[in-house]
mmCIF file of all heavy atoms in Angstrom:
data_model
loop_
_atom_site.group_PDB
_atom_site.id
_atom_site.type_symbol
_atom_site.label_atom_id
_atom_site.label_comp_id
_atom_site.label_asym_id
_atom_site.label_seq_id
_atom_site.Cartn_x
_atom_site.Cartn_y
_atom_site.Cartn_z
ATOM 1 N N LEU A 88 21.942 70.787 280.782
ATOM 2 C CA LEU A 88 23.006 70.734 281.790
ATOM 3 C C LEU A 88 23.943 69.566 281.458
ATOM 4 O O LEU A 88 25.162 69.728 281.523
ATOM 5 C CB LEU A 88 22.390 70.527 283.174
ATOM 6 C CG LEU A 88 23.371 70.375 284.315
ATOM 7 C CD1 LEU A 88 24.225 71.605 284.483
ATOM 8 C CD2 LEU A 88 22.654 70.027 285.609
ATOM 9 N N ASP A 97 34.744 66.190 279.420
ATOM 10 C CA ASP A 97 35.727 65.863 278.393
ATOM 11 C C ASP A 97 37.083 66.482 278.707
ATOM 12 O O ASP A 97 38.131 65.925 278.364
ATOM 13 C CB ASP A 97 35.221 66.390 277.037
ATOM 14 C CG ASP A 97 35.321 65.305 275.972
ATOM 15 O OD1 ASP A 97 35.532 64.140 276.360
ATOM 16 O OD2 ASP A 97 35.174 65.618 274.799
ATOM 17 N N VAL A 152 31.639 65.567 295.404
ATOM 18 C CA VAL A 152 32.422 64.521 294.723
ATOM 19 C C VAL A 152 33.610 64.082 295.557
ATOM 20 O O VAL A 152 33.874 62.885 295.760
ATOM 21 C CB VAL A 152 32.889 64.990 293.327
ATOM 22 C CG1 VAL A 152 33.956 64.080 292.791
ATOM 23 C CG2 VAL A 152 31.704 65.065 292.376
ATOM 24 N N GLU A 179 52.408 37.657 272.055
ATOM 25 C CA GLU A 179 53.461 38.512 272.574
ATOM 26 C C GLU A 179 52.902 39.758 273.246
ATOM 27 O O GLU A 179 53.119 40.016 274.457
ATOM 28 C CB GLU A 179 54.402 38.902 271.454
ATOM 29 C CG GLU A 179 55.522 39.810 271.939
ATOM 30 C CD GLU A 179 56.442 40.255 270.838
ATOM 31 O OE1 GLU A 179 56.089 40.120 269.655
ATOM 32 O OE2 GLU A 179 57.546 40.757 271.179
ATOM 33 N N ASP A 229 54.517 9.735 249.917
ATOM 34 C CA ASP A 229 53.925 8.843 248.922
ATOM 35 C C ASP A 229 52.922 7.866 249.556
ATOM 36 O O ASP A 229 51.841 7.618 249.032
ATOM 37 C CB ASP A 229 55.018 8.090 248.177
ATOM 38 C CG ASP A 229 55.917 7.294 249.121
ATOM 39 O OD1 ASP A 229 56.205 7.790 250.226
ATOM 40 O OD2 ASP A 229 56.299 6.183 248.750
ATOM 41 N N ALA A 235 45.349 8.336 251.363
ATOM 42 C CA ALA A 235 44.290 9.329 251.691
ATOM 43 C C ALA A 235 44.135 10.414 250.614
ATOM 44 O O ALA A 235 43.380 11.365 250.865
ATOM 45 C CB ALA A 235 44.617 9.967 253.051
ATOM 46 N N VAL A 255 54.733 28.661 270.013
ATOM 47 C CA VAL A 255 55.029 30.082 270.208
ATOM 48 C C VAL A 255 54.236 30.568 271.434
ATOM 49 O O VAL A 255 54.755 31.249 272.312
ATOM 50 C CB VAL A 255 54.673 30.906 268.951
ATOM 51 C CG1 VAL A 255 54.831 32.401 269.254
ATOM 52 C CG2 VAL A 255 55.522 30.526 267.776
ATOM 53 N N THR A 281 34.792 26.058 267.609
ATOM 54 C CA THR A 281 33.346 25.898 267.406
ATOM 55 C C THR A 281 32.881 26.973 266.457
ATOM 56 O O THR A 281 33.485 28.049 266.350
ATOM 57 C CB THR A 281 32.559 26.075 268.745
ATOM 58 O OG1 THR A 281 31.207 26.178 268.452
ATOM 59 C CG2 THR A 281 33.015 27.289 269.488
ATOM 60 N N ARG B 61 60.248 45.219 271.309
ATOM 61 C CA ARG B 61 60.693 44.332 270.273
ATOM 62 C C ARG B 61 60.718 44.969 268.903
ATOM 63 O O ARG B 61 61.553 44.673 268.040
ATOM 64 C CB ARG B 61 59.812 43.076 270.250
ATOM 65 C CG ARG B 61 60.309 42.008 269.302
ATOM 66 C CD ARG B 61 59.320 40.886 269.207
ATOM 67 N NE ARG B 61 59.324 40.054 270.379
ATOM 68 C CZ ARG B 61 60.147 39.025 270.508
ATOM 69 N NH1 ARG B 61 61.017 38.713 269.543
ATOM 70 N NH2 ARG B 61 60.111 38.249 271.557
ATOM 71 N N PHE B 135 44.140 62.179 280.795
ATOM 72 C CA PHE B 135 43.049 62.509 279.928
ATOM 73 C C PHE B 135 43.028 61.520 278.763
ATOM 74 O O PHE B 135 43.986 61.415 278.003
ATOM 75 C CB PHE B 135 43.276 63.925 279.387
ATOM 76 C CG PHE B 135 42.229 64.444 278.476
ATOM 77 C CD1 PHE B 135 40.946 63.956 278.490
ATOM 78 C CD2 PHE B 135 42.524 65.487 277.593
ATOM 79 C CE1 PHE B 135 39.966 64.466 277.649
ATOM 80 C CE2 PHE B 135 41.569 66.002 276.759
ATOM 81 C CZ PHE B 135 40.311 65.493 276.779
ATOM 82 N N PHE B 207 23.474 75.799 286.135
ATOM 83 C CA PHE B 207 24.653 74.947 285.910
ATOM 84 C C PHE B 207 25.648 75.198 287.006
ATOM 85 O O PHE B 207 26.193 74.303 287.619
ATOM 86 C CB PHE B 207 25.260 75.190 284.563
ATOM 87 C CG PHE B 207 26.584 74.442 284.395
ATOM 88 C CD1 PHE B 207 26.586 73.106 284.124
ATOM 89 C CD2 PHE B 207 27.786 75.094 284.564
ATOM 90 C CE1 PHE B 207 27.771 72.389 284.027
ATOM 91 C CE2 PHE B 207 28.995 74.422 284.455
ATOM 92 C CZ PHE B 207 28.984 73.051 284.195
ATOM 93 N N VAL B 214 28.567 69.925 293.242
ATOM 94 C CA VAL B 214 29.144 68.601 292.921
ATOM 95 C C VAL B 214 30.669 68.624 292.967
ATOM 96 O O VAL B 214 31.299 67.737 293.536
ATOM 97 C CB VAL B 214 28.640 68.148 291.531
ATOM 98 C CG1 VAL B 214 29.332 66.860 291.121
ATOM 99 C CG2 VAL B 214 27.113 67.953 291.559
ATOM 100 N N SER B 304 40.339 13.933 252.489
ATOM 101 C CA SER B 304 41.603 13.308 252.790
ATOM 102 C C SER B 304 41.736 12.984 254.271
ATOM 103 O O SER B 304 42.273 11.947 254.668
ATOM 104 C CB SER B 304 42.790 14.143 252.323
ATOM 105 O OG SER B 304 43.010 13.938 250.939
ATOM 106 N N ARG B 323 58.879 2.305 257.474
ATOM 107 C CA ARG B 323 59.708 3.169 256.652
ATOM 108 C C ARG B 323 60.543 4.127 257.515
ATOM 109 O O ARG B 323 61.716 4.407 257.225
ATOM 110 C CB ARG B 323 58.803 3.965 255.687
ATOM 111 C CG ARG B 323 59.528 4.885 254.739
ATOM 112 C CD ARG B 323 59.931 4.231 253.438
ATOM 113 N NE ARG B 323 58.775 4.000 252.565
ATOM 114 C CZ ARG B 323 58.257 4.933 251.748
ATOM 115 N NH1 ARG B 323 58.780 6.118 251.698
ATOM 116 N NH2 ARG B 323 57.236 4.645 250.986
ATOM 117 N N ARG B 351 35.382 29.678 258.931
ATOM 118 C CA ARG B 351 34.870 30.893 259.605
ATOM 119 C C ARG B 351 35.610 32.107 259.095
ATOM 120 O O ARG B 351 35.029 33.148 258.792
ATOM 121 C CB ARG B 351 35.141 30.703 261.117
ATOM 122 C CG ARG B 351 34.085 31.265 262.003
ATOM 123 C CD ARG B 351 34.225 30.669 263.387
ATOM 124 N NE ARG B 351 35.568 30.712 263.935
ATOM 125 C CZ ARG B 351 35.937 30.116 265.079
ATOM 126 N NH1 ARG B 351 35.058 29.428 265.773
ATOM 127 N NH2 ARG B 351 37.174 30.223 265.526
ATOM 128 N N ASP B 373 54.437 31.522 262.365
ATOM 129 C CA ASP B 373 54.681 30.586 263.473
ATOM 130 C C ASP B 373 55.815 31.086 264.365
ATOM 131 O O ASP B 373 56.344 30.353 265.158
ATOM 132 C CB ASP B 373 54.925 29.199 262.949
ATOM 133 C CG ASP B 373 56.070 29.124 261.937
ATOM 134 O OD1 ASP B 373 56.753 30.181 261.802
ATOM 135 O OD2 ASP B 373 56.259 28.111 261.292
#
Side-chain angles (χ1 to χ4, degrees):
Chain A
L88 176 63
D97 228 12
V152 165
E179 181 181 15
D229 57 323
V255 174
T281 170
Chain B
R61 186 187 285 272
F135 181 23
F207 173 78
V214 174
S304 277
R323 181 90 73 83
R351 216 161 49 188
D373 55 9

